[in-house]
Amino acid sequence: MSAEIERAASLLRAGELVAFPTETVYGLGADARNPAAVAKIFAAKGRPADHPLIVHLPDATHLERWARDIPEAAWVLAKAFWPGPLTLILKRQPDVPDAVTGSQDTVGLRVPNHPLALELLQAFGAGIAAPSANRFGRISPTTADHVREDLGDAVALILDGGPCTVGIESTIIDMSGPRTIVLRPGMLSAIDIGRVLGRVPMSADDPLAPPAVRNTRAPGTLEAHYAPRTPLVLMPDDSLPITLRNAIVQQEHVAVLATFPAPFGHPLIEWHVAPTDPAGFARDLYANLRMLDALGCTRIIVQKPVGQPWQAIHDRLKRAAAGSGGDA
Ligand code: TXA
Ligand code: MG
């Protein structure tokens, strides 16, 4: 084990915060059994203290220390997808700190698939509570530099594992009740999960989903989230050229994120070509949004993604659009 991992694990034991890479986004970690350490997460992020955190585990054998009444289907998903970008919401053990669960009767658990995260979890040997390592409501970090920009001195140590490979947050599946429900879509899709379970889980915004699901305190499901400061709009690809011509007439400086090259060039248009495949688009998405946000344009126009494989990306972009343009 490297000296840096050793140091990170002792900082966690001492109740300090350590930011670490996962395959999805960087996490801001604290000892999940230490309420004072967990309180530091909320302070550093500026996040309301009643929002629950995901507990990261070294492997699935730790599940029963955190969750009770674990349904067979949860073991099946853990076996199929851990380590990986899947978070399971299960009934919690009574000794899980309220600071972690937001005083709910459930707890979010996942085993991340990143060599540094796994080394850290194994060295620490217990659960690490970690939300995404960004200020509350802002774009999640996918590089160590993003974490430094957002949180800087608030973190004792930032482990640098290079850019995240998945790029958007884990799929969250609620298995604490009678139905399996997708609370937050991710690159691991409901169809991937359905293939393993033999039935496709219900989406939280399905009209048939239990009303209690809508009341779960999940900031990842808030409308205004993942947001750049520049107003962001989603636009069907065939509307882009006319919109840009109008913007030029108005002397507007606009940024564009699209999967195809600019139909024409103009000094007022900052056109950025994103990967055409959903996995590549998701991997680069948050870094692209940060980069376009930094250009100081009047708007960021993003080509509206369509189709099932783009569902989780569309979800994040919709929230980014809803929350963008504030002066926070
Ligand atoms: O990919 C990820 O999940 C990343 C990396 C670091 O693992 N983490 C992440 O954490 O996105 P965060 O805190 O930014 O989002 C976690 C989401 C929140 O929307 C939170 O409310 C929800 O998980 N969550 C956690 N525990 C929950 C629970 N018991 N019931 C319902 N939602 C829960
Ligand atoms: Mg987050």
Side-chain angles (χ1 to χ4, degrees):
M1 184 197 316
S2 78
E4 198 182 34
I5 292 289
E6 199 73 84
R7 184 163 157 250
S10 15
L11 284 168
L12 289 174
R13 276 182 214 110
E16 298 298 332
L17 300 183
V18 172
F20 61 96
T22 80
E23 78 280 38
T24 57
V25 301
Y26 275 70
L28 179 61
D31 177 355
R33 293 281 182 192
N34 179 344
V38 172
K40 290 185 185 170
I41 292 179
F42 292 97
K45 277 189 66 102
R47 183 183 199 175
D50 61 350
H51 285 170
L53 303 174
I54 295 171
V55 178
H56 297 69
L57 305 175
D59 58 60
T61 63
H62 284 251
L63 253 185
E64 283 164 306
R65 301 184 198 180
W66 299 88
R68 65 186 154 84
D69 303 341
I70 304 169
E72 186 50 36
W75 290 111
V76 170
L77 290 186
K79 189 158 189 291
F81 297 116
W82 282 354
L86 172 71
T87 297
L88 298 178
I89 306 294
L90 296 166
K91 290 213 178 76
R92 68 152 161 177
Q93 289 288 5
D95 59 352
V96 179
D98 282 342
V100 168
T101 65
S103 303
Q104 299 187 73
D105 192 34
T106 54
V107 60
L109 300 162
R110 101 173 180 99
V111 180
N113 187 19
H114 189 289
L116 272 189
L118 289 169
E119 267 186 67
L120 176 64
L121 283 159
Q122 276 145 23
F124 184 60
I128 301 177
S132 50
N134 52 287
R135 300 272 311 164
F136 181 64
R138 314 290 346 173
I139 302 168
S140 294
T142 53
T143 68
D145 277 343
H146 294 164
V147 180
R148 234 167 263 129
E149 281 163 26
D150 262 29
L151 300 174
D153 296 342
V155 197
L157 177 68
I158 301 171
L159 293 176
D160 190 343
C164 301
T165 52
V166 174
I168 67 174
E169 303 81 354
S170 62
T171 307
I172 303 182
I173 304 286
D174 187 352
M175 303 191 95
S176 66
R179 320 192 78 130
T180 302
I181 298 165
V182 181
L183 293 185
R184 177 174 72 184
M187 294 312 282
L188 187 73
S189 73
I191 290 168
D192 298 329
I193 288 158
R195 221 173 262 135
V196 169
L197 287 186
R199 59 198 149 79
V200 176
M202 179 178 263
S203 157
D205 48 29
D206 191 304
L208 295 176
V213 167
R214 294 170 189 282
N215 301 329
T216 329
R217 284 188 294 258
T221 64
L222 290 181
E223 273 306 328
H225 217 66
Y226 315 104
R229 290 176 171 81
T230 314
L232 183 149
V233 290
L234 290 178
M235 191 165 290
D237 49 7
D238 54 2
S239 311
L240 271 168
I242 181 70
T243 303
L244 293 181
R245 286 185 207 284
N246 285 331
I248 291 165
V249 171
Q250 304 292 323
Q251 290 290 300
E252 220 196 310
H253 184 203
V254 295
V256 181
L257 185 65
T259 57
F260 56 95
F264 55 87
H266 191 280
L268 284 171
I269 309 291
E270 313 272 0
W271 188 286
H272 187 79
V273 181
T276 53
D277 62 308
F281 193 98
R283 184 195 60 222
D284 296 354
L285 177 61
Y286 291 154
N288 281 337
L289 290 183
R290 279 177 187 255
M291 185 262 296
L292 295 174
D293 200 17
L295 297 176
C297 293
T298 50
R299 274 190 291 172
I300 300 171
I301 301 176
V302 183
Q303 179 191 350
K304 187 179 173 171
V306 282
Q308 197 281 323
W310 294 84
Q311 198 214 344
I313 294 165
H314 185 235
D315 169 82
R316 299 307 189 279
L317 284 171
K318 225 173 42 195
R319 295 175 202 287
S324 65
D327 57 2

